[in-house]
Amino acid sequence: MCCRSAVIKMKLLALVCLVAATGCGGAPLEEEFGYVDVRPGAHMFWVMYHVNQSGDYTTYPLIMWLQGGPGSSGVGYGNFDEMGPYDISGKPREYAWTKSANLMFVDNPVGTGYSYVDSLANLTTNNDQIATDLVALVKEVFTSHSDMQKMPFFVFCESYGGKMAVDFAIAFEKAIKNGEVVSDFRGVALGDSWISPMDYVNTWGTFLYQMGFVNRAGQAEIDASAALAQAAVDSEKWVQATDQWGATESVVDVVAHGVNFYNVLAVEDIYKTQSHSSDHNDLSFMTPAIRRLYDNHVGRLHRNRVGDPLTDFMNGPQKAHWAIPDSVTWDSQGGYVFDRLAEDFMKPVVDSVVKLLTETDLRVNVFNGNLDLICDTPGTYRWIENMEWPDKINFMEAGTKPIYISSYSSPAALVQSSGNFSLYTIFRSGHMVPVDVPEMGLKLVDTILAAAAATHQHLPPSKKEPTKLKVQEKEPSKRQGDKQKGIPLSAVNSQRSRVVATHLNPATPTGKRFGKLGPTFHGPRRGLHKV
């Protein structure tokens, strides 16, 4: 295992703003990035932005963001479209999470985004393999960047990223206890996460009926299709269960007249109307059922074709800035990532959440947008209510507390909490909380970090002291002799200024549509997508 690409620390140059008459303002953020060879033939890319605060950045927490999909790029989509310090045009994000913490993005699993494998045989096929690779990455990064070892460390995630996060947390906590890595690991935050697939699929019909999208007949059709998926899960026929999940989505699409799976109150549903161009990646290796799921949940976001703003940006100036090898094309292996994990899609990880609550001191936070369908709030409530852990009675009896933000006077969220477990229900949000309600997204970060800090103050000293690292000698990688320097962002900005990346945020307090417009590009608009 080795860290390569020199893991460069650079100061970002001032970014070009969309309005020429004004400047971006503020000091540029420092960033660190590089590759880690997590296994022979498996290379994972990461980037970490320093907190946008004065003083010593190492005194602030570190958040690692895990995107979903599987196969969606956190370095690309999560960073530039959700909560990173800048959007794709170079404009500083008002509610960037770097205002509260150091922020690390990872292209995970290997084959996602800039991460790549030398052979398709090196792709992961289950959650345990994904967790092992992530532990290898973080161990190497924390060892080569010792400042990160003392930062309070959290994993935030979205969608399938939540499934990956819980097993990573178990494996990483074990590595810490074994003295393999030093870290002040505090907890996880599971956002609209695919923790118990059938609890979601089984509640789609009821949720859509109660929201007024289907009548009783439509609900019955959805429930009947979901029952077939449940039967396949009960028989541990996992590929069949995945196919039936896709079939149930098709039923929903018909009887609910194309309801948006990621925000049921979305005014527009652009992703459904976008067609694949002729230069889309060859996906002929997928079965029709898997291809349909990929197109619905990942392919519409990562089309990897000329004319898609994010794709052009990631394969152009940003690729050069981060010194990505010429042989690597962003997202060229994403379809294979999705396909190889098809047998693992419908396996729940509720037991892993229980392990975190019973075998570790980590704080477990769950947050869910109340307008999400794919990981609907009733499904999240159901798997929590069916989960058994020692503090369950106290949690179930705990009342909810409102959370307010400046955008509107009514509550923006509710939190229910007991011990190390907290549940946040986010109002006016669908699947992507940082996109739909960005102010609440940052408030959520602040709330979770503050709660963890308060808990940490009351821990006995023995649990506050990090485990000492067991040092092992290792040979330097030959790859480290092939260092490259990234190009200045002045070149990146010339491309950014031509980019159009329109986002639909139908669940914002005003219900208005917000876009990021550049002066010359006239490509397709991008809406909300499952990641």
Side-chain angles (χ1 to χ4, degrees), residues 482-496:
D482 183 27
K483 297 180 180 179
Q484 303 179 51
K485 290 187 177 181
I487 65 170
L489 279 192
S490 57
V492 178
N493 291 333
S494 64
Q495 174 76 0
R496 279 179 167 148

Side-chain angles (χ1 to χ4, degrees), residues 251-493:
V251 173
V252 169
D253 193 53
V254 172
V255 301
H257 308 289
V259 63
N260 190 317
F261 265 87
Y262 315 112
N263 187 320
V264 295
L265 295 186
V267 177
E268 298 182 65
D269 208 355
I270 294 296
Y271 83 97
K272 284 182 176 292
T273 65
Q274 292 173 338
S275 60
H276 295 280
S277 64
S278 59
D279 58 343
H280 189 283
N281 289 334
D282 178 18
L283 300 176
S284 59
F285 58 87
M286 293 182 178
T287 66
I290 297 300
R291 171 65 185 271
R292 183 172 60 248
L293 285 169
Y294 178 79
D295 283 347
N296 286 345
H297 301 312
V298 180
R300 301 295 180 177
L301 174 62
H302 294 295
R303 293 183 294 280
N304 193 33
R305 61 181 175 84
V306 175
D308 173 59
L310 185 60
T311 298
D312 289 351
F313 177 69
M314 298 300 288
N315 281 323
Q318 198 62 29
K319 175 179 176 178
H321 170 65
W322 280 332
I324 305 300
D326 292 339
S327 59
V328 175
T329 299
W330 183 75
D331 189 46
S332 62
Q333 296 177 338
Y336 291 100
V337 172
F338 190 89
D339 185 68
R340 291 301 191 274
L341 288 164
E343 191 171 347
D344 216 46
F345 285 161
M346 299 302 289
K347 295 178 181 178
V349 290
V350 177
D351 287 348
S352 296
V353 180
V354 173
K355 284 186 178 181
L356 292 177
L357 291 171
T358 58
E359 299 178 12
T360 79
D361 294 316
L362 298 173
R363 291 189 64 84
V364 177
N365 304 278
V366 175
F367 63 95
N368 226 91
N370 73 324
L371 301 180
D372 189 8
L373 175 57
I374 187 71
C375 297
D376 62 351
T377 300
T380 296
Y381 288 175
R382 177 180 284 192
W383 70 255
I384 291 174
E385 290 166 359
N386 290 333
M387 181 173 67
E388 297 297 333
W389 77 102
D391 196 44
K392 179 178 180 179
I393 293 177
N394 292 330
F395 174 81
M396 297 303 294
E397 292 179 351
T400 59
K401 298 179 181 179
I403 299 175
Y404 295 90
I405 57 177
S406 64
S407 297
Y408 37 87
S409 59
S410 58
L414 296 178
V415 59
Q416 181 178 349
S417 183
S418 179
N420 281 350
F421 186 70
S422 297
L423 169 64
Y424 297 83
T425 302
I426 313 299
F427 298 146
R428 305 169 185 85
S429 178
H431 195 67
M432 281 76 76
V433 170
V435 174
D436 285 349
V437 282
E439 183 184 356
M440 183 58 224
L442 183 57
K443 182 66 173 287
L444 176 72
V445 168
D446 291 338
T447 303
I448 289 174
L449 298 185
T455 300
H456 190 71
Q457 290 177 353
H458 294 92
L459 288 176
S462 61
K463 292 188 177 182
K464 292 184 180 181
E465 292 297 323
T467 304
K468 292 184 178 180
L469 178 65
K470 295 178 181 177
V471 181
Q472 295 180 344
E473 295 292 330
K474 62 180 181 180
E475 296 182 0
S477 168
K478 295 180 180 179
R479 292 178 180 268
Q480 290 182 337
D482 183 27
K483 297 180 180 179
Q484 303 179 51
K485 290 187 177 181
I487 65 170
L489 279 192
S490 57
V492 178
N493 291 333

Side-chain angles (χ1 to χ4, degrees), residues 48-110:
M48 190 270 278
Y49 297 94
H50 291 197
V51 65
N52 190 12
Q53 297 289 344
S54 60
D56 183 0
Y57 77 99
T58 66
T59 62
Y60 287 85
L62 170 63
I63 291 174
M64 181 172 71
W65 174 259
L66 297 182
Q67 206 72 37
S72 290
S73 170
V75 171
Y77 184 78
N79 183 4
F80 292 106
D81 283 5
E82 292 203 66
M83 80 291 293
Y86 308 100
D87 65 25
I88 197 173
S89 69
K91 183 179 179 181
R93 181 168 280 110
E94 182 178 4
Y95 295 106
W97 290 10
T98 45
K99 293 188 175 183
S100 297
N102 301 287
L103 185 57
M104 179 179 178
F105 296 96
V106 179
D107 272 344
N108 166 77
V110 287

Side-chain angles (χ1 to χ4, degrees), residues 16-24:
V16 172
C17 285
L18 294 177
V19 182
T22 63
C24 288

